[in-house]
Amino acid sequence: MKNKLIKKLNYFVGQINSGDINTGLCRDVIDKVKDYIKITETELETREINTLIEIRHNNPLRMILAMSGVYVSLTVTNETIRFLYNNIEELRDKNSKYSLSLMLVKLQNLLDYTYFYAEMYRIYRQVFTIKELKELQKEINSKWIR
């Protein structure tokens, strides 16, 4: 498809060169289209490679995100992604203005800080729902005040 598009663009330039039309502008358009084609091919290759890497690492939730075009950094853990999937309705209701990627990063920071302070007060508990997260934060706050 790329070669077919470039041939048509070159034919277009040849037709324009035969008349009194501004060819500099047309060449700029052609160059921009060629750049767009290169960027698109690079992006598609990157997405395919990332999807294959996720499949190889057997991270199905990350793979689902990657296949839908959402790429999160490696700092976002699988537990955070799973937490988001399990509580997506409640999180989406209160955070509708954020994109999915930004919500994952914010959620990762929230969980990291919560677990850090919980460990500081020797509270070792995993959270699976928003309610459990709020209860853990309340327990941390009550110990913080003392």
Side-chain angles (χ1 to χ4, degrees):
M1 181 172 152
K2 174 184 89 169
N3 293 335
K4 199 185 256 188
L5 185 60
I6 290 175
K7 284 180 185 177
K8 288 196 183 274
L9 289 173
N10 287 331
Y11 175 77
F12 174 66
V13 170
Q15 292 295 316
I16 290 174
N17 285 338
S18 64
D20 292 330
I21 300 175
N22 182 358
T23 58
L25 174 66
C26 293
R27 289 201 186 280
D28 287 344
V29 169
I30 300 293
D31 291 340
K32 295 291 182 194
V33 171
K34 286 179 181 177
D35 290 344
Y36 174 76
I37 291 169
K38 288 178 189 173
I39 290 170
T40 304
E41 285 181 337
T42 304
E43 180 72 22
L44 287 173
E45 288 172 3
T46 304
R47 285 184 182 202
E48 288 174 0
I49 290 170
N50 286 345
T51 304
L52 291 175
I53 289 170
E54 294 303 327
I55 291 170
R56 196 179 89 217
H57 288 298
N58 196 19
N59 293 330
L61 297 177
R62 283 186 186 270
M63 185 181 69
I64 291 170
L65 287 172
M67 289 171 63
S68 63
V70 177
Y71 295 99
V72 292
S73 67
L74 294 176
T75 58
V76 177
T77 63
N78 290 337
E79 290 79 23
T80 303
I81 297 171
R82 197 169 297 111
F83 184 85
L84 176 78
Y85 270 103
N86 292 338
N87 301 292
I88 189 72
E89 291 85 18
E90 190 173 350
L91 289 169
R92 182 51 86 185
D93 288 341
K94 295 181 181 177
N95 300 295
S96 60
K97 61 185 174 186
Y98 299 123
S99 68
L100 186 60
S101 302
L102 183 59
M103 198 178 348
L104 275 166
V105 172
K106 287 175 152 279
L107 186 60
Q108 181 66 52
N109 285 337
L110 176 69
L111 290 174
D112 285 346
Y113 285 123
T114 302
Y115 284 138
F116 172 78
Y117 287 112
E119 188 176 315
M120 198 164 102
Y121 291 110
R122 292 183 174 81
I123 304 170
Y124 299 103
R125 187 179 331 143
Q126 280 191 314
V127 294
F128 299 102
T129 64
I130 302 291
K131 185 178 178 182
E132 290 175 349
L133 179 63
K134 288 180 180 179
E135 288 173 359
L136 178 60
Q137 289 173 338
K138 284 180 185 176
E139 187 176 343
I140 292 169
N141 286 338
S142 69
K143 291 191 178 196
W144 181 270
I145 292 172
R146 287 187 209 164

